[in-house]
Each structure stands twice: as C-alpha cells, then as structure tokens.
C-alpha cells in the first residue's frame, strides 16, 4: 500500500507540474474610466497553481473554484468559510487551494475584486472575517492577506508545518506582481 500511495502521489505531482508548467501569469494594465487599475489575466485557479509551483507544499492539495452564484445557506457558508466574506457582493471570482485529505491547517484563497470596489477594504474584511479554526482539531496560527491589482490572496497555515504565510506572499509577488499591501 505504501508503494502504491507513493507512486500515485508522484504521478499526481508530475501531471500537475506538466499541466501547470512553470509559466508565470504576467500582469497587464487596463484603465477603468474613473481610475487606473491592474487586472490580472488568467483564472484564479491558474494563479493558485502557479503559486504552489513557486512555493511547493509537502501534501496533496487541490484548487477548487468557489461558486459565488449559490446564495443558499450552504453556498453562503462556503463563501464565508473560505473567504471570510459574508457574501459575494464585492467579488467576481474566488478559488481556494487546500489539502485533499487529512487534518492539515492550510488554506490559500484568492478572490477577484469587483470593479469599483476597494481592494484593500475587501482584504481587511477577509482577514477579520476568516476563522483560523475552521478545521476539526487543528488551527492556523500564521495568517496574511495580500493584494495586487484586482486580486486578493489570503493564506493561513499552522506554523508547525515548517511553512510560513510570508513564503506564500513572496511566491504571490513572483507570480502576479509585487504586492501593493500585506496585512
């Protein structure tokens, strides 16, 4: 069983690396009529996968888009549980990278802020609204929120894992651009 598990893990990692490659998403600048802003190209799933390529983790994880159109109780719970936001009124896209199995306190979520919304204010709302004890039996004790252009990333993890939230903020900077803020 051990050998099969190791083989499958290596196979999944190889396929993920082949699918993602090492190509970085380069930011492009666009102008919104009332103010200049940077809109990052590519999906949030692509950006999260590129960050994990830049700052690897030692567990099997996966990226999952968050359905912002689901306003049922379960849908709103998923938005709150992953982003810290009460609803999707200020964002247009969201995705999360988390471990596939096990009790590992790690969550990296990205949201794309809606045009006209204050990116930093959304980031602050995410940080104050997220529950670092959302898992059973484990908790995150290292949490940072960063942003560039119209994208905000929240990273929280257990510092006992040997990883730091700052290392993922650094990877965010390499993949999308130098962060405009870190809170």
């Amino acid at each position: 069983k051990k050998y099969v598990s190791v083989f499958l893990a290596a196979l999944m990692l190889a396929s993920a690396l082949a699918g993602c490659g090492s190509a970085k998403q380069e930011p492009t600048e666009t102008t919104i009529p009332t103010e200049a802003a940077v809109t990052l190209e590519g999906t949030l799933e692509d950006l999260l996968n590129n960050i994990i390529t830049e700052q690897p983790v030692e567990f099997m994880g996966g990226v999952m888009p968050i359905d912002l159109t689901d306003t049922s109780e379960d849908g709103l719970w998923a938005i709150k549980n992953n982003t810290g936001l009460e609803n999707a009124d200020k964002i247009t896209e969201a995705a999360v990278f988390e471990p596939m199995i096990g009790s590992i306190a790690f969550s990296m979520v990205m949201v794309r802020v809606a045009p006209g919304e204050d990116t930093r204010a959304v980031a602050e709302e995410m940080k104050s609204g997220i529950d670092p004890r959302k898992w059973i039996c484990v908790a995150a004790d290292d949490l940072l929120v960063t942003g560039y252009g119209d994208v905000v990333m929240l990273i929280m993890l257990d510092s006992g894992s040997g990883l730091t939230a700052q290392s993922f903020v650094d990877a965010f900077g390499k993949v999308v651009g130098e962060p405009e803020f870190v809170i």
Side-chain angles (χ1 to χ4, degrees):
K1 283 185 176 181
K2 272 187 178 180
Y3 294 114
V4 171
S5 296
V6 169
F7 174 74
L8 289 175
L11 184 62
M12 287 182 71
L13 178 61
S15 66
L17 291 175
C20 297
S22 61
K24 295 183 182 178
Q25 296 293 328
E26 295 297 327
T28 59
E29 293 192 25
T30 60
T31 303
I32 296 174
T34 57
E35 62 186 44
V38 176
T39 302
L40 296 175
E41 288 186 8
T43 67
L44 296 183
E45 291 92 338
D46 292 339
L47 296 176
L48 285 168
N49 279 319
N50 289 340
I51 289 171
I52 291 299
T53 299
E54 188 68 38
Q55 173 55 64
V57 295
E58 293 185 8
F59 55 82
M60 288 182 18
V63 175
M64 183 175 74
I66 301 168
D67 184 359
L68 302 181
T69 63
D70 185 354
T71 57
S72 71
E73 185 176 331
D74 287 343
L76 291 175
W77 176 85
I79 292 169
K80 174 72 172 168
N81 185 56
N82 289 298
T83 69
L85 301 171
E86 294 296 327
N87 56 52
D89 291 350
K90 298 177 183 174
I91 59 176
T92 61
E93 182 185 4
V96 62
F97 176 91
E98 290 190 339
M100 289 181 170
I101 57 173
S103 295
I104 301 171
F106 183 98
S107 182
M108 182 169 54
V109 65
M110 273 191 180
V111 302
R112 191 174 303 275
V113 178
E117 295 292 339
D118 183 342
T119 303
R120 186 178 180 106
V122 170
E124 289 171 355
E125 187 177 340
M126 289 172 67
K127 186 170 186 176
S128 67
I130 199 68
D131 179 7
R133 298 190 54 79
K134 71 180 194 170
W135 304 275
I136 298 172
C137 302
V138 295
D141 63 352
D142 189 4
L143 183 142
L144 290 173
V145 184
T146 189
Y148 177 80
D150 65 344
V151 172
V152 174
M153 180 186 80
L154 179 146
I155 175 71
M156 63 179 177
L157 53 88
D158 174 8
S159 60
S161 67
L163 298 169
T164 66
Q166 185 61 52
S167 66
F168 290 92
V169 169
D170 294 344
F172 175 90
K174 291 176 182 174
V175 170
V176 303
E178 187 64 32
E180 295 168 348
F181 60 84
V182 178
I183 51 177

